[in-house]
Amino acid sequence: MELRRLTDRVFYTMFNKETDRPVLGYISGQKRSLMVDSGNSKNHVECFYEAVSHAGFRKPEIIAITHWHWDHTFGMHAVEGVTIALQKTNDKLAELAKWEWTDSAMKERVADGTEIEFADTCIRTEYPSLSEIRVVTSDIIFDGYMEIDLGGIVAEVHHVASPHSEDSVCIYVPQERVLFIGDAVGVDYYNNCYLDKDKLRSLMTAIEGFDFDICVVGHNEPVSKQKIVQVMNSLLER
Ligand SMILES: [Zn+2]
């Protein structure tokens, strides 16, 4: 895993389809750095730290979470900085923290529809030993909007409407013209892959309102503003 450069101060590591590891972001400030999402495991976090140190950067002091899904949050217990999540994200994580991570408990959750098959399969691949799964809530909770001054560079954290999950958060770096959207442009896998077009329209308005060149998505290569708008339009026409 390597840290890839988007601008002088914004970087990311690649997604990995095998265990559904998402893209992780790194925003480098003079005083502190911000990590976007915490990865899906301690191993994922360690790979990220290696990439960061190899590129000559320090470990991020702050970690902002884009939404509650396991692949973006199960590394939270292993990161060294302060974690920040939306109230709604934290509520969901508090619920997941009570779940039992055994073969039978996981099978039961898939059978009763609490968990989806895709996540179950990927979790089992990422964790050969299920007992290593640890779900924690964040250190800081916010609602709506928050601004983080990293020293010479500001990251804006926005709660946005999204068809993917109720708690979707975008991280906007106006000075570098980069927008991290996590999986916000996507269907709701926890509701039979339902696409709520009203929410998608609201999201599109929000995304179009940001002034950016590069959009970093959760499980794909970064794209241009034009491209992400095009993706949303084609989803709306579906
Ligand atoms: Zn997701």
Side-chain angles (χ1 to χ4, degrees):
M1 188 183 272
E2 53 162 359
L3 202 63
R4 299 183 171 200
R5 181 184 175 279
L6 286 171
T7 71
D8 284 347
R9 295 181 284 184
V10 183
F11 305 81
Y12 72 102
T13 56
M14 271 296 265
F15 62 96
N16 179 335
K17 284 203 160 88
E18 210 181 311
T19 60
D20 207 29
R21 286 183 175 179
V23 162
L24 301 175
Y26 186 91
I27 304 160
S28 174
Q30 283 159 13
K31 287 190 201 154
R32 52 192 80 85
S33 295
L34 177 73
M35 178 177 182
V36 177
D37 278 331
S38 69
N40 69 358
S41 66
K42 187 170 187 266
N43 282 343
H44 192 191
V45 170
E46 278 166 6
C47 289
F48 178 80
Y49 281 165
E50 248 172 60
V52 164
S53 118
H54 192 252
F57 291 106
R58 62 170 178 274
K59 288 177 183 170
E61 289 84 356
I62 308 170
I63 300 91
I65 302 297
T66 61
H67 63 299
W68 67 270
H69 292 164
W70 81 278
D71 48 321
H72 299 256
T73 55
F74 281 19
M76 276 169 79
H77 71 93
V79 293
E80 284 178 25
V82 170
T83 54
I84 296 175
L86 196 70
Q87 175 78 60
K88 275 187 183 179
T89 305
N90 233 39
D91 291 348
K92 194 68 196 181
L93 289 173
E95 196 186 312
L96 264 64
K98 290 184 205 145
W99 288 5
E100 214 186 306
W101 296 97
T102 57
D103 175 57
S104 59
M106 285 172 71
K107 275 182 184 146
E108 255 172 56
R109 286 196 293 271
V110 172
D112 70 18
T114 311
E115 182 58 283
I116 53 171
E117 192 114 34
F118 176 63
D120 185 81
T121 306
C122 293
I123 290 171
R124 288 173 189 274
T125 316
E126 178 68 31
Y127 292 91
S129 167
L130 295 170
S131 62
E132 279 169 24
I133 297 174
R134 274 191 63 201
V135 185
V136 297
T137 50
S138 72
D139 302 311
I140 296 175
I141 304 162
F142 77 104
D143 243 328
Y145 171 77
M146 117 183 259
E147 226 174 86
I148 307 171
D149 187 349
L150 302 169
I153 186 166
V154 168
E156 298 179 8
V157 190
H158 296 257
H159 181 202
V160 291
S162 156
H164 183 70
S165 71
E166 283 288 317
D167 64 332
S168 288
V169 159
C170 284
I171 292 141
Y172 177 46
V173 191
Q175 286 150 286
E176 303 293 289
R177 302 177 61 81
V178 178
L179 181 69
F180 289 85
I181 65 167
D183 302 344
V185 175
V187 298
D188 185 354
Y189 291 99
Y190 286 86
N191 184 19
N192 293 311
C193 292
Y194 175 64
L195 177 68
D196 186 323
K197 291 193 175 177
D198 288 331
K199 285 181 185 162
L200 183 56
R201 273 184 213 100
S202 306
L203 176 64
M204 187 141 126
T205 305
I207 289 181
E208 282 183 312
F210 294 114
D211 197 13
F212 64 96
D213 300 320
I214 304 166
C215 178
V216 185
V217 299
H219 299 272
N220 224 318
E221 295 275 5
V223 293
S224 65
K225 183 172 189 176
Q226 193 190 0
K227 176 69 185 172
I228 198 67
V229 170
Q230 196 187 315
V231 170
M232 288 186 283
N233 270 320
S234 61
L235 278 172
L236 281 175
E237 282 160 18
R238 219 162 71 166

